Amino acid sequence: MRHLVRRYSIRMPRIRRVTAIRLTLVSLGALLVSSCSGTRASSGNRDAASPAVPVTAATVVQKTVPIQTRAIGNVEAYSTVQVKAQAGGELTKVHFTEGQFVKKGAMLFTIDPRPFEAAINQIEANIQRDVAQVRQAQATLAKDAAQARNAEVEAQRYADLLEKGVVSKEQYDQFRTSFEALQATVNADRAAINSSEQAVKADQANLASAKLQLAYCYIRSPIDGRTGSLMVHEGNLIKANDVPIVVIDQVDPIRVSFSVPEQQLGDIKKYSDEGTLKVEAVIAGQEQRPLTGTLSFLDNAVDTNTGTIRLKGGFSNPEKRLWPGQFVSVVLTVSVQPDAIVVPSHAVQQGQTGAFVFVINPDLTVESRSVVAGRSLDSETVIEKGLSPGERVVTDGQLRLVPGAE
């Protein structure tokens, strides 16, 4: 175009050359305006022809939902017994293998019983000897008592004769002395019998103790449970009431310990007084098969360091799915909330002004509505305010939506 301008400038005066340049610029501006107008028109046509946004929707429902508390729990044995020897000696036999389940009363260990059996035999022999001595002393007592009675009668007769002057005092004194000597012998016999009887009773007590010690040589399981590692093996000498030989954990039933904030203590106490509260234990990887138990323990004090209260749930564990020391998710059902407004949790979005949902209108357009969200339970959220039963909300595809979109 510059070439054109220069070509005209050779042939035309200066005024005509300026006019030609202005006309050329006006033409170029008209072309640019026309081009921009065409672009906006094309864009508007494309927006008008854009398709509806595909979304997933769900219906707002009204139903009864449980009021639950969730926590992380630790599995504990229902009871733990440290088995110790109550008699000393050589451990001669172990009747189980490590990690074996044992029943209550099952034989666990045998301590060498021979020293206790020998002691029992000796004590029984002593008892027989002492009993024989008692019987001999009783026979001697019977003889001496008879002689004493006879001497007493003779002494009394001579006393009567002495009063009548028939016999001398010396004769009476002889019979009186004989009676007193026999009476002393009778008393000695009775003392000997008492001593022998006391010896028999002492031997019987020693025999009972020896038999008890002999019974301690055979150690049996006090509970149903699973044995741990052996602390003492066969052939070792063990002392009475020394280190544990083995530890047994009772795993059926079993307990799960967990803690909840102290703010929930009031509701837990209130509803536990009205009935048994349900506790569920969820094992990682087995979410579809929770174990159901009941609340069995409420601690007597709040932990001042953490501001929590310790609870325990009792569970039947026949399949041994729960194991001492294992961590599980715990769900405590405190009560139920009737007529709650519930939507899928995916429907609730968070914005600058708080929680909101996209509500689908009857004409298939959406509106953004603020809501007050309550508790969440199993991928559902309770809506305290903002929705009514029967309305439809968007659960997936919210990123492409704006208010009024179809």
Side-chain angles (χ1 to χ4, degrees):
M1 187 171 292
R2 291 179 180 176
H3 299 294
L4 294 175
V5 173
R6 290 175 180 173
R7 195 173 300 146
Y8 280 112
S9 65
I10 297 173
R11 299 178 181 179
M12 298 180 182
R14 179 178 178 83
I15 296 176
R16 291 183 179 181
R17 289 201 304 267
V18 173
T19 303
I21 292 172
R22 289 179 177 175
L23 290 174
T24 302
L25 293 176
V26 170
S27 299
L28 290 174
L31 289 173
L32 291 175
V33 172
S34 175
S35 175
C36 292
S37 299
T39 301
R40 285 197 298 269
S42 299
S43 177
N45 293 335
R46 284 196 301 269
D47 291 341
S50 61
V53 179
V55 297
T56 303
T59 303
V60 180
V61 297
Q62 186 176 28
K63 62 180 182 179
T64 299
V65 297
I67 300 176
Q68 296 178 332
T69 297
R70 298 176 180 269
I72 300 298
N74 182 247
V75 181
E76 299 178 353
Y78 192 83
S79 60
T80 299
V81 176
Q82 294 183 345
V83 180
K84 296 183 178 181
Q86 294 179 278
E90 179 186 354
L91 183 62
T92 57
K93 183 66 175 176
V94 177
H95 298 273
F96 66 95
T97 58
E98 294 178 314
Q100 177 183 339
F101 283 99
V102 293
K103 293 290 187 180
K104 182 178 181 179
M107 186 69 70
L108 299 179
F109 303 98
T110 298
I111 299 173
D112 187 3
R114 290 175 296 179
F116 302 98
E117 292 173 347
I120 289 174
N121 294 334
Q122 181 62 44
I123 294 172
E124 288 177 343
N126 294 339
I127 290 176
Q128 293 177 358
R129 181 198 62 197
D130 293 339
V131 169
Q133 291 177 352
V134 169
R135 290 174 180 173
Q136 182 179 358
Q138 288 174 343
T140 302
L141 174 62
K143 181 190 70 173
D144 293 340
Q147 292 177 353
R149 285 193 299 270
N150 183 58
E152 183 181 12
V153 172
E154 290 293 332
Q156 183 63 41
R157 183 169 61 248
Y158 270 82
D160 295 339
L161 292 176
L162 178 62
E163 290 180 358
K164 295 177 181 179
V166 177
V167 296
S168 64
K169 189 174 183 306
E170 289 79 4
Q171 291 176 319
Y172 165 72
D173 290 340
Q174 291 177 355
F175 283 98
R176 180 67 183 175
T177 302
S178 177
F179 164 69
E180 291 178 350
L182 289 173
Q183 187 66 37
T185 301
V186 168
N187 292 335
D189 292 341
R190 287 173 178 170
I193 290 174
N194 290 334
S195 177
S196 297
E197 289 177 343
Q198 292 297 324
V200 170
K201 291 179 179 179
D203 289 338
Q204 289 175 341
N206 292 334
L207 178 62
S209 177
K211 288 183 176 179
L212 182 60
Q213 293 296 316
L214 178 62
Y216 288 156
C217 292
Y218 305 98
I219 303 176
R220 300 178 182 274
S221 175
I223 59 173
D224 295 341
R226 184 181 177 92
T227 60
S229 300
L230 278 173
M231 308 299 180
V232 182
H233 294 268
E234 291 183 12
N236 286 281
L237 292 175
I238 57 178
K239 298 179 181 179
N241 300 314
D242 199 11
V243 297
I245 309 176
V246 72
V247 177
I248 303 177
D249 286 337
Q250 185 176 5
V251 295
D252 183 22
I254 202 167
R255 288 193 176 102
V256 176
S257 174
F258 60 99
S259 298
V260 299
E262 62 178 315
Q263 291 81 1
Q264 302 177 11
L265 179 59
D267 290 340
I268 293 175
K269 290 174 58 180
K270 173 184 175 182
Y271 291 109
S272 62
D273 291 340
E274 298 176 358
T276 303
L277 300 185
K278 185 178 75 170
V279 181
E280 291 183 331
V282 182
I283 302 173
Q286 303 180 25
E287 289 78 5
Q288 303 303 320
R289 298 177 57 204
L291 288 90
T292 302
T294 57
L295 185 66
S296 60
F297 171 77
L298 175 63
D299 206 351
N300 58 359
V302 174
D303 189 336
T304 56
N305 294 323
T306 61
T308 59
I309 183 74
R310 188 183 182 202
L311 310 174
K312 289 184 181 181
F315 296 83
S316 177
N317 193 34
E319 298 179 0
K320 311 300 185 294
R321 293 174 58 198
L322 295 176
W323 209 250
Q326 181 181 15
F327 286 95
V328 295
S329 298
V330 179
V331 181
L332 171 64
T333 301
V334 179
S335 181
V336 294
Q337 178 181 351
D339 302 329
I341 306 299
V342 178
V343 298
S345 298
H346 291 165
V348 182
Q349 304 293 306
Q350 293 295 328
Q352 294 181 351
T353 59
F356 70 95
V357 297
F358 282 109
V359 180
I360 301 177
N361 297 317
D363 60 357
L364 298 183
T365 59
V366 295
E367 64 170 300
S368 176
R369 185 182 302 177
S370 297
V371 295
V372 178
R375 295 179 306 275
S376 296
L377 173 67
D378 295 335
S379 72
E380 291 184 330
T381 299
V382 176
I383 302 301
E384 304 292 345
K385 183 179 180 182
L387 292 176
S388 301
E391 291 185 303
R392 291 194 300 167
V393 295
V394 177
T395 59
D396 190 18
Q398 294 97 327
L399 294 178
R400 301 178 58 186
L401 290 178
V402 294
E406 184 177 357

